[in-house]
Amino acid sequence: MAVLTQTHRNPAHTLAEYPGYFPVSSAHLYTVLHQVENPVARVLLVGPFAPVRHTSYRTWVQWARHLAANGIEVLRYDYRGVGESTGAFEEMTLESWIDDVRCLAEWLRKLERKAPLLLHGLELGGLLAARAFHEGEADALMLWSTPTDANQVLRSALKHWIGPQQLSKREGERRPPSHYFRLLDQGKNVEVEGYEWSAELWRQSLTFALPAPMVPPNDPAVSYKRPVHMVALGKNAAPLVYGAVPGYEENKDFSWLFKPNCQWISSNLSVPLEAVHD
Amino acid sequence: MISSTLETRELVTLDGGGVLLHGTYHKAAGKAANGAAGSTKNIGVLFLNALSTPRSLIGESGVYWATSFAARGYPSFRFDLPGLGDSYGEIPNDLVKFADEGGWGTIASSKVKELVHSRGLPGVVMFGHCSGATTAIYAASRSRECKGLILMDPYFNLPRSLTPSLRPGLVLWVRSSKTGALMRAGYDRIRELREALRKEKLPANANLNLLARVKQVVANGVPILIFRAPKPPAVGGSVLRAGDFDYFDYIVSLAERSNQFTIQEIDDTDHSFSNRAGRLAVRQHSEAWLEQYFPEANSGGVIQ
């Protein structure tokens, strides 16, 4: 059982949020528990890959607060080696990140007040959540904007980083994305937006795929006999996905996304949606 | 099992005035601590958000710098301002305008006061990147507790009037594509010519309110360290073109004493300073500057 040392309440809505450090192998994960008194369900939010974290963070927090306001307890966290979590990013692999999902899911399942557990992943987080769900870690799964393999996430991140980088370099120093892909293929580390990608992370990404029952045209709900909801997000979902203009889109109204997905959780985990706050 | 404290870090809040800010405290190493809980003899370093970036900053560079400064004896704090990161609060649709007008200045200065008093610090150095630098200047201008500023790529102009009338998608394209860069460069040249003909001291889109705050901070004798990233070659490089107004020359001319401003150009990095070269250079120059102006024995005041 967790030792919650501090209570931080939102003065406006009296929803308790508990930031803390969760110990895992050789590091501590930064976690925030959005606690609900009698939760109708619990959700472990598995966020996007590191470079999207800083643009999507506010919206991701808003989503956690929306769920908590509707009686669903939420645990969100930073990947090992990312954000407020400790650990060296360059030493991280997809295997270490999925271990973290397993540890946190297990902790949530062991909490005293029982409630069904849903894993919700965004982008790379979707792949991690899907793998853990496939192994039987949760009662339901929700995926937003999750590609079929992790290599697509890394390629996409590198391509989005390279555009502005080209502007900061002189003509002869500019390199296309294929240059960096080749370096990674050759076993060299590459620095992208302040993160040093290891060749091992790249190598693992090539085979880290969505479990086969979740790949269309398969129906995962039939295979797993547990609820699975997969949502493709378009550019209108920026800054949750790439394409936002910093400074102008952080305050977007996401009720079109939050309300139906919160409703899906509520109805598919067979619990009444008790709107604590609007 | 879950704890708010690690050996070198602690999750903390500032909740004075009914405004709850979440943050991370990087404990000062060894000799700086005087034994009292959370209290040190050394000046603190307070990091502010850059626009909507969470308190870790891009590529976790904020974590890197705060960890380094704390290891050198300077307790470091990273807080999310209201509406950003983990802190509650509403934010406006146009964050750039909000920051340019000093939207977070008042709350930042009151939180500096709260931090200094609650932690028993002799004062703080505020560390701001881009729009975070703008907030730091506004806050410092009304804070007796702010003893120094570290500003990364600060800007002193308001957005050009052309930008708000464009669709966000078009703005992004203009900012990130090669064709857009050429268009911007062309637009810059027309603007520069116009400014040169006007022969006015400050450009029409200068942020006069912010510059007035800079004057105030300078008059208070606060030392200021500024980092500048190289300007992208696609928009003309670092060399000023005819008609370009040099805000840095201008603010340095306001100095009360010759060593009040330290300006460092960092090569091999970009605006975020988050790559290896940028992080290291910022860290080394900042540590040298902190040790020069706020040595441990006299960290409460500025060495003049």
Side-chain angles (χ1 to χ4, degrees), chain A residues 3 5 8 10 17 21 23 30 53 57-58 65 76 83-84 165 167 191 194-196 245 247 250-251, chain B residues 1-4 9 24 52 56 60 78 83 86 88 91 93 95 168 175 232-233 270 274-276 279:
Chain A
V3 178
T5 52
H8 304 314
N10 166 12
E17 296 185 7
Y21 293 112
Y30 175 72
R53 176 188 178 272
Y57 199 86
R58 178 179 152 83
R65 287 176 181 157
R76 58 183 171 89
E84 297 298 319
Q165 283 301 306
L167 287 177
E191 192 184 10
Y195 299 101
E196 192 170 326
V245 180
E250 287 83 352
N251 202 26
Chain B
M1 190 173 178
I2 293 182
S3 162
S4 61
R9 291 189 210 177
T24 308
S52 62
S56 58
E60 279 66 83
R78 297 179 290 110
D86 294 321
Y88 278 95
I91 57 169
N93 290 328
L95 272 186
R175 285 178 180 168
D270 59 19
S274 65
N275 68 354
R276 209 176 299 123
R279 282 175 192 223

Side-chain angles (χ1 to χ4, degrees), chain B residues 124-168:
Chain B
V124 294
V125 168
M126 296 176 79
F127 188 112
H129 172 223
C130 190
S131 69
T134 305
T135 299
I137 292 166
Y138 276 106
S141 71
R142 61 180 81 195
S143 169
R144 290 167 61 189
E145 293 79 11
C146 179
K147 309 291 186 189
L149 285 175
I150 299 178
L151 309 175
M152 294 170 57
D153 255 3
Y155 59 93
F156 303 95
N157 58 299
L158 295 167
R160 291 165 202 156
S161 56
L162 175 68
T163 310
S165 62
L166 298 178
R167 284 185 295 114

Side-chain angles (χ1 to χ4, degrees), chain B residues 6 11 15 35 48 55 123 147 163 176 202 219 250 270-272:
Chain B
L6 298 178
L11 296 170
D15 59 3
L48 300 173
R55 63 186 187 268
K147 309 291 186 189
T163 310
S176 58
L202 287 167
Y250 176 75
D270 59 19
H271 175 64
S272 76

Side-chain angles (χ1 to χ4, degrees), chain A residues 3 8 21 48 55 73 112 130 141 157 159 163-164 199 205 212 217 224 278:
Chain A
V3 178
H8 304 314
Y21 293 112
T55 51
E73 193 159 89
E112 271 178 26
L141 175 70
K159 284 176 183 169
S205 77
Y224 294 110
D278 195 12

Side-chain angles (χ1 to χ4, degrees), chain A residues 1-6 8-11 13 15-23 28 30-32 34 50 53-55 57-58 61-62 65 75-76 81-87 89 107 161 163-171 174 190-191 193-196 243-252, chain B residues 1-6 9-13 18-20 22 24 26 51-60 63 78 80 83-97 159 163 168-169 171-172 174-178 181 184 230-235 269-270 272 274-277 279:
Chain A
M1 185 61 198
V3 178
L4 298 170
T5 52
Q6 286 177 298
H8 304 314
R9 287 184 179 275
N10 166 12
H13 302 288
L15 292 173
E17 296 185 7
Y18 299 95
Y21 293 112
F22 184 100
H28 283 84
Y30 175 72
T31 57
V32 179
H34 295 248
R53 176 188 178 272
H54 70 266
T55 51
Y57 199 86
R58 178 179 152 83
V61 172
Q62 298 289 93
R65 287 176 181 157
L75 183 70
R76 58 183 171 89
V82 176
E84 297 298 319
S85 293
T86 66
F89 183 90
W107 181 79
W161 166 77
Q165 283 301 306
Q166 301 287 40
L167 287 177
S168 69
K169 295 195 185 303
R170 288 174 187 81
E171 194 72 41
R174 292 176 192 156
V190 167
E191 192 184 10
E193 208 167 353
Y195 299 101
E196 192 170 326
V245 180
Y248 297 96
E249 295 192 73
E250 287 83 352
N251 202 26
K252 269 166 73 172
Chain B
M1 190 173 178
I2 293 182
S3 162
S4 61
T5 306
L6 298 178
R9 291 189 210 177
E10 186 180 341
L11 296 170
V12 292
T13 57
V19 179
L20 177 67
H22 287 277
T24 308
H26 296 255
L51 213 55
S52 62
T53 306
R55 63 186 187 268
S56 58
L57 302 181
I58 293 176
E60 279 66 83
V63 181
R78 297 179 290 110
D80 285 321
L84 304 177
D86 294 321
S87 297
Y88 278 95
E90 299 298 320
I91 57 169
N93 290 328
D94 190 339
L95 272 186
V96 177
K97 185 168 182 271
T163 310
V171 173
L172 180 66
V174 167
R175 285 178 180 168
S176 58
S177 71
K178 283 185 192 174
R184 290 207 320 265
K231 226 175 168 185
V235 290
T269 192
D270 59 19
S272 76
S274 65
N275 68 354
R276 209 176 299 123
R279 282 175 192 223

